[in-house]
Amino acid sequence: MPRRALDCAALLLVFALVLPVLAGCTGTPAASDRDSGSDWVRDVSPFAVNDSSGTPIQHPFLGGLNVPRPQLVDIDNDGDQDLFLQEDTNELRFFERVDVGADSSRLVWRTDHYKGLDIGEWFRFADLDGDGDADLLAEKPFSYIRMYENTGSSGQPEFSMITDTLKTPGGEAVFSDRQNIPTVADVDCNNRLDLFIGRLDGTVDRYEASEEMQAGTMPMFELVTEKYEDIEIVNQIGTLHGANTLAFADPDQDGDLDLFWGDFFEPGLLLIENRGRACATPDLRGTPQPFPPNNPMSTSGYNAPTLGDVTKNGDLDVLVGVLGGAYDATKTLTNNLYFYENDGSNYTLQTRQYVGGLDVGNESVGAAGDIDGDGDIDLLLSNKIEPSTGISSQIRIIENVGSTDSPAFQMRGQIDMPDAYRFAPALGDLDGDGDPDMIVGTWNGDLLFAENDAGSFTVNETPIVSIPRGSNAVPSLGDIDGDGDLDLLVGEGSGTINVFRNDGSPEAPDFTLQTEDLEGVSVKARSAPHLTDLDGDGHLDLLVGSELAGIFVYRGAGDGSFEANGELSVDAPKLTAPFRADLDGDGAPELLSGGDGGGLLFWNLR
C-alpha cells in the first residue's frame, strides 16, 4: 500500500515516552471532580499563540471569521473607536478599544452578544435623536427595520427598543433587503437625518426624517426618492448588481459627505466623491472610483466599509469586512478584515486580519496530544478546504513551545496528506509505543491512519475503515468497553454515530463495524463525537457537537452504552467539533471546539 512520510521533525524538542494525557486519545479517564453541570467560561486569550513567523496572534481563540460586518463607533464616549462585528445572525461582537500609554491600537474582546440585542442580519449605530450617543437600527426578520434608543448615560450605554417595525409617518413599513446594509447620515446638513437603503438593482432609496433632530425624540423617516442622485452601481464587467452596503464619511475633510459602496459583484470598494458646492447641495453623480486610489483593494467581493480615526491623527482610517461575493469567496475565508491607515496623503494596508485569531478557513476540527514527545500538549487544526489554494483540506500543527503547566503555542507547518476535503483528525496511541497516532476523517466518509514515529507521521492512503453511508466523517478514539484497546466512534452528516469495535490489540488495531447508529445518541445533523471522562467515575462519557444545536452530553456506563444527559452550557458555534485537553496541567481538562468560523474556541470551568 502506498505510504507518505509526513515530516514533523520541526516539532521534536526532546523525545521521551510519556503517559497519555487525554481520555479521548487513550481510553484512560481524566481525573476531574467537575462535571458538565458546572459553568464554562469563555476565554479568547488564555495562552500566548504566535504565527509561523513568531508574531503574536491577537485573540487567538476567537473562533475565526468568514463574513465579518464591521462598524467603528465610540460606544462608551471615551474618545476612541471601539469595534462591533457581526459574523452570524443576531450575533453582535464587541471589542473595546483600550489605550495603553500612547498605543491606541489595542482591542479587547468583551462579548459575542452585546447587550443581548436582536439584530437579525445587519446593524447600524447612529445618533438618531441628537443627544450625543449612539442609537441603533437593525434588521427584523424578514427585511423589516428595528429601532433602538440608547437610554443609558454617557459611557454606560443601554438600549430600549422603540419599534420593531420602522414605519413612515403614513404608517407604511420601511423595508431593507436583509442581505444589504443601509446607512444613516445628514447628507444635506439640514439637521434631518437621511436613511439610505441600497436596492438589489444597484440604486439607492433615500428617506429623510420628518422633523429636525431633537434630543430624546426618535425620528420617523419618509421616502424622498427611489433613485437618489441617479446612482446605479454595476460590476466591472457586464451589468450585474446585487447585495450591497453603504457608508457615508468625509475622508477628504472638505465639509461634505462622500459615499463608499461595496457590492456582491464588485471585487473592490467604490468611492463616489461628493462634488457639491456646499454641504446643503450634495452632488454624488460622478463616476465611482476604486478605493484606495493609490492601491485599490481587490477581494472575492462584497466589501463592507466603516471609517473612523483609529490612529488619532485627525484623519479617517478605513476598516473593510470582506463578506465574499462573486469572485470565489473561499479565497477570503481567512484574510477578510482589511485595515487601511490614513496618514493624511495615502491609505496604507496594515493587515488583512484586523482582530487576529487562529483561523484556517472554515469548518475547523481540532485535536490535542503530545505529538512530539516533550511532555506537553500540542494542537492540530484542520479545515474544510485550504483558502490559499482552493485545493484539498489541510491539517496544521500548533506546537506547544511552553511547558506542561505554562503552555505557549507556535504555528508550524501542515501535515502532508493525500488530497481530500474536510479532514477531521483524532489522536490516540494505536501501536502501543507511547505516542499518539492519528485517525483522519474525510468528506467522503473514508478514515485514514497515520502512524506517529517520534513526531513524524506516516499516512496510509488506503482507508483503515469507511463509514457504510454518509459523509463528513469525524472520528474519536477511546476504550469504551474497558478491554484495554482503543475503539473508534465516527460522526457523520446525518447526525448519527458509527461504532467500530477494536477486535485487535493495543499494538495492532482491527476495527469492526458494530453499528451505524449508536443507540440513544444522535443529533440533527453533522455529529462530531469526542470521548472523555466528564465526571471522573472511570467511564468514558461522550460529547457530541452538531451543525446548529450545540454540544450534547451522554454519560457512559463503561460497557459501550451511553445515556443522554443534556447539553453543555456554552455558546457553541455552528458545526461544533468539541474536544477536551488539560493544556495547563492542573488536572482539569479545558474545553475547546472547532466550528464554522475556521478557528478554535476555548472554555475553562468556572
Side-chain angles (χ1 to χ4, degrees), residues 79-208:
D80 53 30
Q81 297 291 307
D82 305 303
L83 174 63
F84 290 89
L85 279 180
Q86 182 174 11
E87 175 74 7
D88 291 305
T89 302
N90 264 342
E91 177 189 273
L92 187 56
R93 303 185 184 190
F94 173 49
F95 297 80
E96 182 182 3
R97 194 170 301 278
V98 178
D99 290 350
V100 180
D103 182 9
S104 61
S105 64
R106 185 182 178 195
L107 288 170
V108 178
W109 173 87
R110 298 301 189 193
T111 180
D112 278 359
H113 298 277
Y114 181 71
K115 302 291 184 181
L117 293 167
D118 291 328
I119 61 168
E121 291 298 324
W122 59 263
F123 72 98
R124 186 65 74 199
F125 286 101
D127 183 4
L128 299 174
D129 55 4
D131 64 354
D133 55 30
D135 307 297
L136 179 65
L137 296 177
E139 192 246 356
K140 173 194 172 182
F142 295 96
S143 299
Y144 295 94
I145 299 177
R146 286 190 176 105
M147 178 185 285
Y148 294 90
E149 181 183 3
N150 186 343
T151 57
S153 59
S154 179
Q156 297 293 330
E158 296 293 339
F159 293 87
S160 300
M161 188 168 64
I162 300 301
T163 179
D164 66 354
T165 304
L166 185 65
K167 296 180 179 179
T168 67
E172 296 180 359
V174 179
F175 292 95
S176 177
D177 298 304
R178 68 193 319 240
Q179 63 269 53
N180 298 346
I181 305 175
T183 194
V184 177
D186 183 8
V187 74
D188 53 2
C189 299
N190 65 353
N191 203 33
R192 294 186 181 186
L193 282 178
D194 303 291
L195 170 63
F196 295 91
I197 300 175
R199 297 304 184 189
L200 292 178
D201 62 0
T203 63
V204 179
D205 289 358
R206 177 194 171 201
Y207 290 77
E208 187 176 47

Side-chain angles (χ1 to χ4, degrees), residues 336-380:
N336 49 34
L337 197 55
Y338 286 50
F339 177 65
Y340 291 90
E341 182 178 349
N342 182 0
D343 64 5
S345 57
N346 287 303
Y347 293 88
T348 302
L349 178 62
Q350 298 293 349
T351 180
R352 294 179 176 87
Q353 294 180 317
Y354 184 61
V355 295
L358 284 168
D359 196 339
V360 296
N362 65 338
E363 298 192 22
S364 54
V365 179
D370 184 10
I371 297 171
D372 51 10
D374 64 351
D376 53 35
I377 304 301
D378 310 298
L379 298 171
L380 298 177

Side-chain angles (χ1 to χ4, degrees), residues 141-485:
F142 295 96
S143 299
Y144 295 94
I145 299 177
R146 286 190 176 105
M147 178 185 285
Y148 294 90
E149 181 183 3
N150 186 343
T151 57
S153 59
S154 179
Q156 297 293 330
E158 296 293 339
F159 293 87
S160 300
M161 188 168 64
I162 300 301
T163 179
D164 66 354
T165 304
L166 185 65
K167 296 180 179 179
T168 67
E172 296 180 359
V174 179
F175 292 95
S176 177
D177 298 304
R178 68 193 319 240
Q179 63 269 53
N180 298 346
I181 305 175
T183 194
V184 177
D186 183 8
V187 74
D188 53 2
C189 299
N190 65 353
N191 203 33
R192 294 186 181 186
L193 282 178
D194 303 291
L195 170 63
F196 295 91
I197 300 175
R199 297 304 184 189
L200 292 178
D201 62 0
T203 63
V204 179
D205 289 358
R206 177 194 171 201
Y207 290 77
E208 187 176 47
S210 57
E211 298 180 357
E212 293 187 9
M213 281 194 294
Q214 296 181 1
T217 301
M218 299 295 282
M220 299 183 74
F221 293 95
E222 53 189 346
L223 181 64
V224 176
T225 178
E226 291 183 339
K227 291 189 176 181
Y228 178 66
E229 291 291 278
D230 291 328
I231 293 170
E232 185 174 3
I233 303 294
V234 297
N235 76 315
Q236 292 182 339
I237 301 174
T239 58
L240 296 174
H241 32 64
N244 53 68
T245 177
L246 315 175
F248 278 97
D250 186 14
D252 52 9
Q253 300 188 40
D254 63 352
D256 55 31
L257 296 176
D258 307 305
L259 174 61
F260 290 82
W261 180 291
D263 191 277
F264 184 88
F265 290 101
E266 171 57 53
L269 181 64
L270 300 179
L271 171 62
I272 304 177
E273 184 181 356
N274 188 341
R275 298 179 179 178
R277 293 179 177 271
C279 184
T281 56
D283 180 358
L284 292 155
R285 295 173 182 267
T287 302
Q289 298 297 319
F291 183 88
N294 56 305
N295 184 23
M297 72 180 303
S298 180
T299 71
S300 63
Y302 199 3
N303 301 307
T306 180
L307 290 87
D309 185 8
V310 172
T311 54
K312 296 185 177 180
N313 65 351
D315 298 304
L316 292 181
D317 307 298
V318 182
L319 182 66
V320 185
V322 181
L323 279 64
Y327 304 93
D328 188 6
T330 297
K331 69 182 182 182
T332 53
L333 285 172
T334 56
N335 294 322
N336 49 34
L337 197 55
Y338 286 50
F339 177 65
Y340 291 90
E341 182 178 349
N342 182 0
D343 64 5
S345 57
N346 287 303
Y347 293 88
T348 302
L349 178 62
Q350 298 293 349
T351 180
R352 294 179 176 87
Q353 294 180 317
Y354 184 61
V355 295
L358 284 168
D359 196 339
V360 296
N362 65 338
E363 298 192 22
S364 54
V365 179
D370 184 10
I371 297 171
D372 51 10
D374 64 351
D376 53 35
I377 304 301
D378 310 298
L379 298 171
L380 298 177
L381 190 62
S382 67
N383 54 17
K384 176 182 178 180
I385 187 171
E386 176 57 31
S388 62
T389 64
I391 301 173
S392 188
S393 173
Q394 287 190 352
I395 302 175
R396 283 178 170 80
I397 302 164
I398 307 171
E399 181 190 356
N400 188 344
V401 294
S403 63
T404 303
D405 57 0
S406 183
F409 295 92
Q410 173 99 27
M411 296 289 291
R412 297 302 190 193
Q414 297 85 31
I415 295 177
D416 187 19
M417 297 288 295
D419 288 346
Y421 292 112
R422 222 258 177 173
F423 288 141
L427 293 170
D429 183 7
L430 291 170
D431 54 10
D433 64 355
D435 56 23
D437 306 299
M438 184 169 62
I439 296 287
V440 181
T442 63
W443 175 84
N444 66 3
D446 292 336
L447 292 107
L448 306 177
F449 170 65
E451 182 181 356
N452 182 358
D453 182 9
S456 180
F457 285 98
T458 303
V459 64
N460 188 332
E461 296 187 19
T462 299
I464 189 170
V465 293
S466 299
I467 56 177
R469 52 191 167 197
S471 60
N472 292 298
V474 180
S476 181
L477 290 163
D479 183 7
I480 63 173
D481 52 9
D483 64 353
D485 53 31

